[in-house]
């Protein structure tokens, strides 16, 4: 909750399409439905695309023309035409405010990316913005799920699982698929089961299993939800499994999706 009073002066601001400006994040070229614009020597981009690429959950509140973005440890709030941004309730002055342009809510790229703990570089010669995010919050969350899972196994006298990158990529890909195609199921809309997807990825296993969850905003909450369900708990405590990969993706109807991929390889 914010109590904010601000005055808006009528200024003549020049906003122009940023022809030829490219934006890259962690080596990926970003595309925007509304191309970036330049205002007061700052690059502005549509808020939803940039915040979701920064692994943040976004909301737009039309009543007070407010944008919010939330991750596990960072909350960002901007008001349209306000020269102040709020980061975890601390005010940050902006060189250029968020604006409405061609019916799109545009936010200052450098300010919001740096507030989300990313590094931003501008190459004037090539007109390229390069964003490098620090270690993904979700990579840390996935490792935390491994730790919590092994803690539950230890309580039950079961040996620990080892991390496997291939299983993690399968879990992440399934979460991304659930977000993009708006479903929540072990089987995807093409009828592929978790075991079909493992075999398709070249995973040869003696035993395998999958847990999925949605809507839990911490590793602790996700593991607690699984441990409260007999079938999911059985997978977590299954002594046949020796390896685990975890995928975590934000977006979709539930806001966040989780997948544990278990296996004992041949």
């Amino acid at each position: 909750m914010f109590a904010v009073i601000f005055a808006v002066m009528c200024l003549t601001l020049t906003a122009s399409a940023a022809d030829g400006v490219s934006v890259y994040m962690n080596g990926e070229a970003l595309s925007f439905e509304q191309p970036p614009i330049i205002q007061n020597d700052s690059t502005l981009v549509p808020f939803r695309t940039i915040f979701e690429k920064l692994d943040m959950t976004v909301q737009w509140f039309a009543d007070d023309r407010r944008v919010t973005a939330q991750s596990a440890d960072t909350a960002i709030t901007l008001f349209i035409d306000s020269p102040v941004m709020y980061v975890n309730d601390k005010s940050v002055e902006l060189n250029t405010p968020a604006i409405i342009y061609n019916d799109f809510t545009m936010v200052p790229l450098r300010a919001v990316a740096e507030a989300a703990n990313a590094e931003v570089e501008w190459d004037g010669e090539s007109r390229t913005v390069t964003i490098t995010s620090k270690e993904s919050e979700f990579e840390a969350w996935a490792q935390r799920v491994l730790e919590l899972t092994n803690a539950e196994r230890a309580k039950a006298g079961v040996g620990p699982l080892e991390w496997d990158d291939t299983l993690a990529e399968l879990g992440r890909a399934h979460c991304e698929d659930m977000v993009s195609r708006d479903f929540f199921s072990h089987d995807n809309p093409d009828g592929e089961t978790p075991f079909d997807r493992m075999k398709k990825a070249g995973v040869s296993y003696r035993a395998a299993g999958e847990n999925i969850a949605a809507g839990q905003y911490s590793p602790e909450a996700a593991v607690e939800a699984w441990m409260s369900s007999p079938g999911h708990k059985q997978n977590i405590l299954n002594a046949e499994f020796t390896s685990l990969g975890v995928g975590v993706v934000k977006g979709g109807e539930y806001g966040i999706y989780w997948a544990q991929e278990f296996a004992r390889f041949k």
Side-chain angles (χ1 to χ4, degrees), residues 138 142 163-190 192-194 196-198 200-201 203 210-213 245-250 257-261:
F138 290 163
W163 182 263
D164 185 82
D165 286 335
T166 299
L167 294 177
E169 179 54 37
L170 280 168
R172 187 162 47 248
H174 187 53
C175 289
E176 290 174 348
D177 194 22
M178 288 191 288
V179 169
S180 64
R181 293 203 277 179
D182 192 24
F183 72 97
F184 180 65
S185 172
H186 293 287
D187 296 353
N188 68 23
D190 302 321
E192 290 182 335
T193 69
D196 293 331
R197 294 190 294 273
M198 287 185 184
K200 190 175 181 180
V203 175
E210 177 182 79
N211 284 345
I212 59 174
V246 180
V248 189
V249 172
K250 277 191 178 178
Y257 291 73
W258 305 78
Q260 284 183 306
E261 307 295 336

Side-chain angles (χ1 to χ4, degrees), residues 33-203:
E33 192 173 357
Q34 161 62 50
I37 63 172
I38 298 292
Q39 180 169 286
N40 290 349
D41 295 325
S42 295
T43 301
L44 286 84
V45 297
F47 82 100
R48 189 170 299 278
T49 300
I50 190 60
F51 280 131
E52 289 182 347
K53 287 295 182 181
L54 289 165
D55 288 333
M56 304 187 80
T57 300
V58 297
Q59 289 182 286
W60 162 252
F61 299 89
D63 289 348
D64 52 3
R65 305 211 306 167
R66 169 169 50 102
V67 171
T68 66
Q70 179 78 47
S71 67
D73 54 8
T74 304
I76 300 173
T77 299
L78 302 100
F79 290 84
I80 298 302
D81 296 327
S82 171
V84 177
M85 172 176 68
Y86 296 87
V87 181
N88 292 338
D89 295 342
K90 294 182 179 179
S91 61
V92 178
E93 291 189 8
L94 297 171
N95 179 55
T96 302
I99 64 171
I100 303 293
Y101 182 84
N102 285 346
D103 293 327
F104 285 88
T105 300
M106 310 289 284
V107 297
L109 178 57
R110 178 181 293 275
V112 299
E114 290 181 344
N117 201 32
E119 296 178 354
V120 182
E121 295 183 3
W122 164 253
D123 186 329
E125 184 174 344
S126 63
R127 295 175 63 79
T128 299
V129 179
T130 302
I131 304 170
T132 305
S133 60
K134 304 286 177 71
E135 178 184 356
S136 171
E137 165 185 73
F138 290 163
E139 290 178 14
W141 280 13
Q143 291 292 331
R144 179 60 176 158
V145 168
L146 174 65
E147 293 174 6
L148 293 168
T149 298
N150 280 336
E152 294 295 343
R153 289 170 70 90
K155 292 177 190 176
V158 182
L161 299 168
E162 294 186 355
W163 182 263
D164 185 82
D165 286 335
T166 299
L167 294 177
E169 179 54 37
L170 280 168
R172 187 162 47 248
H174 187 53
C175 289
E176 290 174 348
D177 194 22
M178 288 191 288
V179 169
S180 64
R181 293 203 277 179
D182 192 24
F183 72 97
F184 180 65
S185 172
H186 293 287
D187 296 353
N188 68 23
D190 302 321
E192 290 182 335
T193 69
F195 314 107
D196 293 331
R197 294 190 294 273
M198 287 185 184
K199 292 175 181 177
K200 190 175 181 180
V203 175

